Amino acid sequence: MSVVLKDFIEAEGLEPGDRLPPERDLALKLGLPRTALRRMLSSLEKEGRLIRHVGRGTFIAGSGVSSSALRRPASSDVDTLRTYPAEVFEARLIIEPKIAALAALRATRQEVEEMQKSIARGNASESLSEFEKWDAVFHRIIVQAARNGLLASLYEGIHAVRAGNLWGKMKEQSLTSERMTAYIVSHQAILDAIKDRDSREAERNMYDHIIEARTNILGPSI
């Protein structure tokens, strides 16, 4: 599990002397229990990759790190934190089910056909990258079908984060052939509700799909 924290450090470009976010914030952003995060911090400290100081925080270790460097003021947490998987899933659960509900009311026949094609191609994918491509196509067509420019803009912000290095590694580690098959089943359930013009069912199925993905990537909610 320490790989999650290592990936975070790499993705953020943290260098020797830089301070990690406070433990509480870091656990929330990564979607990890505090106990699991503490084990990771302890493991990396033993490896010599971190230096932990009571009252001052946890810092990235390195040959150029000195006690004076550790006392320098760190940038504010607001500046150093971007957004992380746990936040992404929170945003997705707020936005995407409602987008699916709108799509059920507004999707054209052509859009429904394109969604079905994306599901078929995702199901026939022979590689992780190909599966992710058609997964993204499916969700983007739903956004298009909702006919709401502001929601589409918000979704693109979420998609940009999901395309990032940290997210990509976590998703790659979580995906198995069984889970990809389960995602295809979930996509079909969402599409079936859209075909039936059942906005409530489309919203419910999208919500369940995102919960499923969150559990696979971050583990059971805490």
Side-chain angles (χ1 to χ4, degrees):
M1 285 294 292
S2 293
V3 68
V4 174
L5 187 53
K6 290 178 182 178
D7 287 346
F8 163 78
I9 292 170
E10 179 182 342
E12 288 299 296
L14 297 178
E15 299 178 350
D18 288 341
R19 190 180 72 177
L20 288 177
E23 186 179 289
R24 179 180 179 182
D25 292 344
L26 188 55
L28 180 63
K29 301 301 183 183
L30 293 178
L32 295 170
R34 296 277 292 273
T35 53
L37 177 61
R38 286 171 186 150
R39 287 196 296 269
M40 292 183 197
L41 291 170
S42 178
S43 176
L44 292 185
E45 183 180 23
K46 290 177 182 177
E47 292 176 14
R49 299 189 57 165
L50 297 177
I51 299 175
R52 303 171 74 186
H53 284 269
V54 177
R56 284 186 283 169
T58 301
F59 298 81
I60 306 300
S63 57
V65 180
S66 63
S67 58
S68 60
L70 294 178
R71 287 194 293 269
R72 73 186 181 189
S75 58
S76 70
D77 295 333
V78 173
D79 292 335
T80 58
L81 291 177
R82 300 173 195 172
T83 189
Y84 307 110
E87 286 187 339
V88 172
F89 279 115
E90 283 184 354
R92 292 189 69 191
L93 287 169
I94 292 169
I95 294 172
E96 290 190 59
K98 294 299 183 183
I99 288 176
L102 290 174
L105 300 175
R106 301 172 180 175
T108 65
R109 179 180 298 179
Q110 181 179 355
E111 286 166 339
V112 167
E113 291 174 354
E114 290 300 320
M115 288 180 218
Q116 193 66 70
K117 288 179 183 178
S118 71
I119 291 175
R121 290 174 180 172
N123 193 38
S125 296
E126 297 181 354
S127 67
L128 174 62
S129 60
E130 188 179 2
F131 176 83
E132 289 186 331
K133 170 189 172 182
W134 292 112
D135 176 271
V137 168
F138 175 77
H139 284 276
R140 272 206 164 106
I141 298 172
I142 292 176
V143 174
Q144 173 185 308
R147 303 286 188 279
N148 186 302
L150 181 56
L151 286 175
S153 178
L154 293 172
Y155 176 82
E156 285 305 316
I158 293 173
H159 181 75
V161 175
R162 293 177 67 201
N165 185 47
L166 174 61
W167 180 278
K169 287 185 177 181
M170 293 180 72
K171 188 171 183 180
E172 182 178 354
Q173 291 164 7
S174 76
L175 273 178
T176 63
S177 59
E178 292 79 9
R179 285 175 176 174
M180 285 190 279
T181 298
Y183 290 155
I184 291 295
V185 172
S186 295
H187 284 182
Q188 190 63 57
I190 294 166
L191 178 54
D192 287 345
I194 291 174
K195 286 179 180 178
D196 292 340
R197 303 300 181 187
D198 189 336
S199 60
R200 288 186 179 181
E201 187 69 9
E203 180 176 349
R204 184 182 303 112
N205 289 343
M206 180 63 81
Y207 184 90
D208 290 345
H209 173 52
I210 296 170
I211 289 291
E212 177 184 30
R214 184 181 70 178
T215 300
N216 289 339
I217 292 177
L218 300 182
S221 59
I222 56 175

